[in-house]
Amino acid sequence: MPGALDSLFKNVAKSVVADLGKSLDTTITYTRKVSPTYNTSTGALTTTDTSYSFDAPIEFVRSEEEDEAEKRTAKLYITPDLIGDNQPTFEDSVSVKYAGSNRVAQITNIQTYKGGQEYLFILQVVF
């Protein structure tokens, strides 16, 4: 059961992420990939994705050329409530606006900060 200090950390992280996201005007779309289900009678594989759109702080870490293509790395700071109180997974995806267009980013690293409950995720993404 989370203690008072743990709840304080969660509330502070939520407030900081929300305030920075709004002030930096960085809206992202987080797509939660749910495990697919297989229907044995029809042979169909069905997936259900849930999308969450919200403001979040983004830190652009680096941009480099790789195999004659530009590779960009960024860090996103999000709180569990922004993604339906779920734990991020590597199968999920994030859409960020970069250079005037939306780019789908792949999650390459997930840092989870928690005590008795999760209160902050730092996602490293590549696009």
Side-chain angles (χ1 to χ4, degrees):
M1 177 166 212
L5 188 57
D6 192 52
S7 294
L8 175 67
F9 282 145
K10 183 176 184 172
N11 290 334
V12 168
K14 183 177 177 177
S15 176
V16 168
V17 167
D19 290 347
L20 281 175
K22 284 187 190 335
S23 67
L24 297 173
D25 192 29
T26 52
T27 301
I28 69 167
T29 301
Y30 184 97
T31 304
R32 175 89 176 147
K33 305 284 186 181
V34 180
S35 297
T37 57
Y38 180 72
N39 185 326
T40 55
S41 60
T42 63
L45 187 64
T46 306
T47 60
T48 305
D49 296 344
T50 304
S51 293
Y52 304 93
S53 188
F54 52 88
D55 295 326
I58 299 175
E59 174 187 357
F60 290 97
V61 177
R62 117 187 82 186
S63 182
E64 58 190 30
E65 186 176 327
E66 186 176 289
D67 298 327
E68 298 182 21
E70 188 176 5
K71 175 182 167 185
R72 296 166 209 92
T73 304
K75 285 186 179 180
L76 307 173
Y77 298 82
I78 62 174
T79 54
D81 61 301
L82 296 173
I83 57 171
D85 288 319
N86 292 301
Q87 170 74 36
T89 68
F90 293 112
E91 289 78 28
D92 299 344
S93 65
V94 177
S95 177
V96 298
K97 191 164 198 156
Y98 182 81
S101 65
N102 286 329
R103 311 288 174 97
V104 177
Q106 176 185 4
I107 299 171
T108 59
N109 189 23
I110 301 167
Q111 292 178 320
T112 301
Y113 292 89
K114 66 180 187 171
Q117 58 187 336
E118 288 86 8
Y119 55 84
L120 179 66
F121 302 119
I122 301 175
L123 307 181
Q124 185 169 323
V125 298
V126 175
F127 59 100

